[in-house]
Every structure is written in C-alpha cells, then in structure tokens.
Amino acid sequence: FSPFDPTWSLEVAGAYSDYYGNLSARQFSPAIGMAFNEKSDWVSLRPTLIDVVNPVVGQKMDDTVAFDIKWSHWFDPDNFLRLNSLKVNGMVGEKILNVDLDGASVYNLADTQKGSASMGLEWRVGTHANILLLGGYEAYEDKTISDKYDSRSLFLSYSYNW
C-alpha cells in the first residue's frame, strides 16, 4: 500500500512455493518503508518468515526467519562526485526457498541463505541516461554436505530512458 502521501508505504506479502519431491514452502514477508531527511532518504524494513512444509527434504529446516533493511539516499544535483543516488542493503538471519518479493526472483536452492550485503552507486548521465555500479555479497550453507560458501557480485549497467 502506498498512500497519496509518498513519505511512507506498507506492504503485506506472501508466497507459496511447491517443488518436486513433496517439498513446499510458505512465506510471509510484510514490509514498511518511510522517507526522511526532506525525502532525500528512504528506508525499508522487511522481516521474512518461511515455513518449510516437508523439512526432511529441505535440509531438515522447519522454519527460517530473516530481516532485510534497505536504505537509499538521493543527492543534490551539484554534488562533488555527480552521484544521483546511493543504495545500501543488508540481510541478517536465515532464508531457505525464499521468494525475493522486491527483486521478483525465486531462490529455489535448498541451501540456506545466511546473510547478505550490497551497495550501489548511480550516476545520472545527461537528462535520459543512468549508470549503476552495484556490488554484493551473499553467504550460504548447504547443511546436507556441511559446506559453507558465498557469492560475490559486481554489476555495471547503463540505461537510457526515452
């Protein structure tokens, strides 16, 4: 829910995922967001509760709980580095079989996500183009084979809007 007042938002969301082998997961993921600093900043908070219906198949994990926080800051147009915005995201807790409601993607691995952090910088190029540089880190654990691993990413994007 986003009211006519663009200084806050409220979302109630959920997902149901059904997998091969009698494995399914129910997810509840509400979110709240709010603007501050004269609308130059936005922060959103999202707890995620996931119930694995057949925990024997899902690495014997019955429930996971995680907490995401996202912060965005928009700069004045005449700042020193010519930045348009800065984005910082983080997640603590655990997620398994997660549906990322903000990124519109499904994590269908049975591995447990143990945390994440990312940071992005965006520059406006002229009146119609943007350059985004985004770096991220995600930690995972495969409890079946007792293996911990991570994913590190660096993303560069140029977009033109007409």
Side-chain angles (χ1 to χ4, degrees):
F1 174 73
S2 292
F4 290 108
D5 178 9
T7 60
W8 66 277
S9 70
L10 182 62
E11 178 182 345
V12 178
Y16 176 78
S17 304
D18 189 19
Y19 299 95
Y20 178 78
N22 200 28
L23 176 64
S24 61
R26 294 180 292 233
Q27 176 176 326
F28 178 64
S29 243
I32 187 168
M34 62 201 87
F36 60 99
N37 193 19
E38 297 179 5
K39 298 182 187 175
S40 292
D41 293 275
W42 181 269
V43 66
S44 66
L45 311 169
R46 179 184 296 278
T48 300
L49 312 166
I50 300 174
D51 175 41
V52 179
V53 176
N54 187 356
V56 174
V57 179
Q59 295 201 38
K60 299 180 182 170
M61 293 192 70
D62 190 21
D63 298 308
T64 63
V65 177
F67 188 75
D68 291 90
I69 184 167
K70 297 181 179 187
W71 170 62
S72 298
H73 175 76
W74 289 270
F75 293 95
D76 291 327
D78 298 325
N79 69 75
F80 172 67
L81 296 174
R82 310 295 295 163
L83 282 169
N84 182 49
S85 66
L86 165 70
K87 299 174 186 326
V88 178
N89 305 323
M91 188 275 286
V92 294
E94 294 183 330
K95 294 180 184 178
I96 189 169
L97 303 171
N98 177 45
V99 176
D100 183 348
L101 300 169
D102 292 324
S105 61
V106 177
Y107 290 77
N108 57 4
L109 292 173
D111 296 349
T112 307
Q113 186 179 9
K114 306 289 280 184
S116 68
S118 67
M119 183 174 140
L121 299 170
E122 184 180 38
W123 291 267
R124 183 167 303 279
V125 181
T127 57
H128 297 287
N130 291 351
I131 294 175
L132 173 66
L133 178 63
L134 180 68
Y137 172 83
E138 295 180 335
Y140 295 91
E141 182 178 6
D142 183 336
K143 293 188 178 188
T144 304
I145 59 173
S146 298
D147 183 32
K148 293 182 180 181
Y149 63 96
D150 59 53
S151 170
R152 299 169 192 181
S153 60
L154 187 61
F155 177 78
L156 179 63
S157 168
Y158 174 82
S159 61
Y160 186 85
N161 302 309
W162 62 86

